[in-house]
Amino acid sequence: MQFKKSPTIILIVLMALGLLVTACSPSAAEKYNKEGNDAYAQQAYEEALAAYQAAQIKEPELAEPYYNAASALYRQGVYDAALEQLQMALSFAAEESLAQSSFYNLGNSSYNAQDLETAVASYTESLLLNPDDQDAKYNLELALQQQQQQEEQQQEQEQEQEQQEEQQEEQQEEQSQDGEGQEEEQEQQEQSQEQEGEGQEEQQDQEQSEDGQQGEQEQEPTQSQGDQPQEGEQEQDPNGQPQPGQEDPNQEAQPSQIPAPGQRMTEEQAEQLLAAIARDSETLQERLGQIFAVPWQDPVQDW
């Protein structure tokens, strides 16, 4: 007896086989991600990045395309974009291994971008997920040393800047003091010049005043002994006595000035006597002898 197969059973079997094939076939995102890995292995980083970005579009919540895109960007030296892709990978990473690798690469990208603080934090997170990662330990120590050197350099720069500011302030103060000193010196010079000018004016005024006084007090020049006497002047002998027939101008010969014998001098005669004494070098006794000498008279009759 032969059994025939039912058409319904055959249809169910075919549908089950189709579902199994569909379940085992890779998704579009996985397909693009695999193409990116092949290009990355051949160092075609731009082509690999395009494939990873296509996979992100197909499955936005899949972590692997973001992580792989960060690796491609890192190889091209675009560290800022690589950091962004790693942050996205960490937000969707469900496996610890992927998260640990993401932190490690995040530390490398931050270190190359001179963001040492983020690099130290990323390496620390990577070691928390995988304490046996020797590369993460080495990179963490390197980042800490670099961070310490950077802080020391920053402190030195700040100190140098402070010293420069202090020097500039000192120079400004010195310039200000020099300016004030120059102003004071200039004022002193001006005052000295004014005082010299006033002194010169006073000296000129004094000289002019003295010249005026000398002009008023000057008399006509007297003749020297070698000059010849003019007409009407008395000729004197070598002893200084007047020659016969000449009158002595210093002698008062007026009769009213000579008192008669037995008479006293009048007040006028006394004044004339003192004035005559002041004009010549005769002594009072000689002058009095001339005045009181009794003139010689011829006798009236012979005895």
Side-chain angles (χ1 to χ4, degrees):
M1 183 175 186
Q2 294 181 355
F3 294 95
K4 295 181 180 180
K5 292 183 179 179
S6 171
T8 303
I9 295 174
I10 295 173
L11 180 61
I12 293 174
V13 172
L14 291 174
M15 290 177 63
L17 290 174
L19 292 173
L20 181 61
V21 172
T22 302
C24 293
S25 62
S27 63
E30 292 177 351
K31 181 180 178 181
Y32 285 122
N33 189 61
K34 184 178 182 303
E35 292 178 358
N37 290 339
D38 294 339
Y40 186 90
Q42 296 176 4
Q43 297 182 356
Y45 301 119
E46 292 183 0
E47 184 180 351
L49 179 60
Y52 295 141
Q53 290 174 346
Q56 293 172 5
I57 294 172
K58 293 297 182 178
E59 292 188 22
E61 296 181 358
L62 191 62
E64 285 79 0
Y66 295 103
Y67 176 85
N68 294 339
S71 298
L73 291 168
Y74 180 85
R75 293 298 182 182
Q76 296 179 69
V78 188
Y79 303 117
D80 294 337
L83 290 172
E84 294 177 358
Q85 294 294 317
L86 287 172
Q87 294 291 346
M88 295 294 296
L90 288 171
S91 63
F92 296 116
E95 299 179 0
E96 290 186 358
S97 60
L98 181 60
Q100 189 269 336
S101 298
S102 298
F103 279 118
Y104 177 82
N105 289 341
L106 181 62
N108 291 341
S109 298
S110 300
Y111 183 88
N112 289 317
Q114 293 299 312
D115 186 3
L116 299 177
E117 185 176 358
T118 302
V120 170
S122 300
Y123 291 136
T124 303
E125 291 293 334
S126 177
L127 289 171
L128 290 174
L129 295 174
N130 185 10
D132 297 331
D133 190 347
Q134 297 298 322
D135 293 336
K137 290 180 180 180
Y138 177 82
N139 291 350
L140 177 60
E141 292 177 359
L142 185 63
L144 289 172
Q145 292 176 359
Q146 188 70 21
Q147 188 179 22
Q148 184 177 0
Q149 292 177 0
Q150 192 178 50
E151 291 176 355
E152 291 176 354
Q153 290 177 357
Q154 186 175 0
Q155 290 178 356
E156 290 178 357
Q157 291 176 357
E158 291 177 355
Q159 291 178 356
E160 290 178 356
Q161 186 175 1
E162 290 178 356
Q163 291 177 355
Q164 290 177 358
E165 291 176 356
E166 291 177 356
Q167 290 178 356
Q168 289 177 356
E169 291 178 357
E170 291 178 356
Q171 290 177 357
Q172 291 177 357
E173 290 179 358
E174 290 178 357
Q175 291 176 357
S176 178
Q177 292 177 357
D178 292 340
E180 293 177 356
Q182 291 176 358
E183 290 178 358
E184 292 179 356
E185 184 177 357
Q186 186 175 3
E187 290 178 358
Q188 292 178 356
Q189 290 178 355
E190 291 177 355
Q191 292 178 358
S192 177
Q193 291 176 358
E194 290 177 358
Q195 292 177 357
E196 290 178 359
E198 292 176 357
Q200 291 177 357
E201 291 178 357
E202 291 178 357
Q203 185 177 1
Q204 290 177 358
D205 294 339
Q206 186 176 1
E207 291 177 356
Q208 291 176 357
S209 177
E210 292 177 355
D211 293 340
Q213 292 178 359
Q214 291 178 359
E216 293 176 357
Q217 295 177 357
E218 281 181 354
Q219 299 178 353
E220 295 180 357
T222 59
Q223 293 180 350
S224 61
Q225 296 179 357
D227 295 338
Q228 297 295 329
Q230 297 179 357
E231 293 182 359
E233 292 184 354
Q234 182 181 6
E235 295 181 359
Q236 297 181 354
D237 60 5
N239 295 325
Q241 297 296 328
Q243 297 293 329
Q246 295 182 354
E247 297 180 356
D248 187 358
N250 296 326
Q251 181 178 2
E252 302 294 336
Q254 296 181 3
S256 60
Q257 295 178 355
I258 302 174
Q263 293 182 353
R264 298 179 61 183
M265 285 193 304
T266 64
E267 183 177 356
E268 181 180 0
Q269 291 174 346
E271 291 178 356
Q272 292 177 356
L273 175 61
L274 294 175
I277 293 171
R279 285 197 300 268
D280 54 26
S281 61
E282 293 177 344
T283 63
L284 177 60
Q285 184 176 1
E286 293 174 351
R287 186 61 180 168
L288 291 175
Q290 293 177 1
I291 294 175
F292 289 101
V294 178
W296 177 265
Q297 295 182 358
D298 295 333
V300 177
Q301 57 183 359
D302 295 333
W303 291 94

